[in-house]
C-alpha cells in the first residue's frame, strides 16, 4: 500500500502525488456511508487505483478546501495599504489556531522613506524575537530573500494570505516569473482549466505546492474561547507558567508575568493591546447555535 498527498480532486477522482509521480484514484465505496470526504492536501493510503484511507489531518481550510497545510505566507504591505499590527495579529492568531506555520513577507518596503523604514524595522524585530520567520529588507523582492523563501517552501503545502493590494500577485510573479500574473489574478492562475467543472488543486510553483489563494476569512472571526486565546500568542504562552494564578487571562489578575513583561518592554505593547481587544470581542460575541448545523 502506498502513501501520498491528494494533489487534485475532480469529479470523484483523486490525483495522488507519491514518489514524484501522480496516480489517479477513486475513493473506496464506503467513504460516503462513513461520511469521509477526502480533500486536496490529505495524506492518504491507496492501492490498485483506489483511495483506501485518509490519514488524520492537522488542519483544514474551508476556502479553498485544503487539508494539512504546512505554511502560510502572510504577505504584508509596508505601505499602501497602511501597515496594521492589528490585522497582522489577527492573521497570526488564525494560523496558530489552525497549527499552520506563518511566514511573514513584507512587500512595498521600497515605498518607505528612511524614517518610516527604521520605525517598521523596530516592529519587525519585535515579531522576530517572538520567533516568527520574517522576510523584510529595503528591496522588497531581493534575489537572496526570494531564494531563501523558495528553499523554505520547497515540497511544502503552502497557502498565501494578505489583504487586497498587499502584493500577493507581485510576490508570486517574482517567485515564479512564468506565471505572469496581473494584480488580483492569483486565483485564476491556481484554478486553470476549471471551466464548468469544480476542481481544487495544488499548483507546483518553484518546488512548492501552493493552494488556491484563500478567501482566508477565519481571521475575521474568533472561534476560540477567552481561555484558549492566550495560547495563540507564543510569547504569552511561554510566560504563563510564571503567573501567580493558573489559567491567568493576563488582564486584571495580580502578579501576572505577562503584564510585567509588557511593562518591562519584553512583550510588545501593540501585541498586548490587540490581545485585550480580541479578548473583549470573544467575550462579547453572541454564540452561533446554527454554526455546526449541516
Amino acid at each position: 500500500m502506498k502513501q501520498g498527498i491528494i494533489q487534485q480532486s475532480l469529479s470523484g477522482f483523486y490525483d495522488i502525488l507519491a514518489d514524484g509521480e501522480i496516480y489517479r484514484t477513486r475513493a473506496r465505496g464506503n467513504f460516503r456511508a462513513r461520511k469521509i470526504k477526502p480533500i486536496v492536501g490529505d495524506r492518504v493510503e491507496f492501492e490498485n487505483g483506489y483511495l483506501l484511507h485518509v490519514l488524520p489531518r492537522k488542519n483544514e481550510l474551508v476556502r479553498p478546501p485544503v487539508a494539512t497545510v504546512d505554511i502560510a505566507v502572510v504577505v504584508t504591505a509596508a505601505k499602501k495599504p497602511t501597515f496594521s499590527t492589528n490585522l497582522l495579529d489577527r492573521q497570526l492568531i488564525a494560523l496558530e489556531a489552525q497549527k499552520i506555520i506563518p511566514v511573514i513577507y513584507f512587500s512595498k518596503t521600497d515605498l518607505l522613506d528612511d524614517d518610516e523604514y527604521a520605525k517598521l524595522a523596530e516592529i519587525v524585530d519585535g515579531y522576530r524575537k517572538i520567533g516568527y520567520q520574517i522576510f523584510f529588507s529595503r528591496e522588497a523582492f531581493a534575489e537572496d530573500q526570494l531564494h531563501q523563501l523558495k528553499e523554505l517552501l520547497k515540497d511544502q503545502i503552502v497557502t498565501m494570505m494578505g489583504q487586497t493590494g498587499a502584493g500577493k500577485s507581485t510576490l508570486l510573479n517574482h517567485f515564479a516569473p512564468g506565471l505572469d500574473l496581473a494584480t488580483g489574478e492569483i486565483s485564476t492562475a491556481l484554478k486553470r482549466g476549471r471551466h464548468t467543472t469544480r476542481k481544487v488543486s495544488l499548483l507546483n510553483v518553484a518546488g512548492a505546492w501552493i493552494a488556491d489563494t484563500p478567501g482566508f476569512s477565519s481571521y475575521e472571526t474568533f472561534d476560540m474561547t477567552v481561555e484558549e486565546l492566550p495560547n495563540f500568542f507564543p510569547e504569552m504562552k511561554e510566560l504563563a507558567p510564571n503567573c501567580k494564578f493558573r489559567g491567568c487571562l493576563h488582564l486584571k489578575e495580580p502578579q501576572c508575568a505577562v503584564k510585567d513583561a509588557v511593562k518591562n518592554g519584553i512583550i510588545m505593547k501593540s501585541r498586548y493591546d490587540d490581545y485585550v481587544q480580541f479578548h473583549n470581542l470573544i467575550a462579547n460575541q453572541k454564540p452561533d447555535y446554527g454554526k455546526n448545523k449541516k
Side-chain angles (χ1 to χ4, degrees), residues 69-83:
V69 175
D70 299 306
I71 294 174
V73 179
V74 184
V75 183
T76 305
K79 194 172 186 177
K80 295 184 179 181
T82 303
F83 170 67

Side-chain angles (χ1 to χ4, degrees), residues 14 25 33 78 91 102 118-119 129 132 136 141 148 163 181 190 192 207 211 240-242 245 276 290:
Y14 299 92
T25 67
Q91 294 169 318
K119 287 178 182 177
K129 286 177 179 176
Y132 290 114
F136 176 77
F141 302 107
Q148 291 174 35
Q163 66 186 127
L181 303 179
L190 297 179
R192 282 194 289 252
N242 298 326
F245 296 103
V276 173

Side-chain angles (χ1 to χ4, degrees), residues 235-236 239-245 248-269 272 275:
E235 68 275 41
M236 294 186 186
L239 289 174
N242 298 326
C243 293
K244 179 179 180 180
F245 296 103
C248 181
L249 295 179
H250 320 308
L251 298 170
K252 297 179 180 179
E253 299 91 339
Q255 299 182 42
C256 170
V258 168
K259 288 192 294 181
D260 288 345
V262 176
K263 188 183 301 182
N264 295 322
I266 297 169
I267 286 181
M268 299 166 68
K269 187 175 185 303
Y272 181 75
Y275 165 75

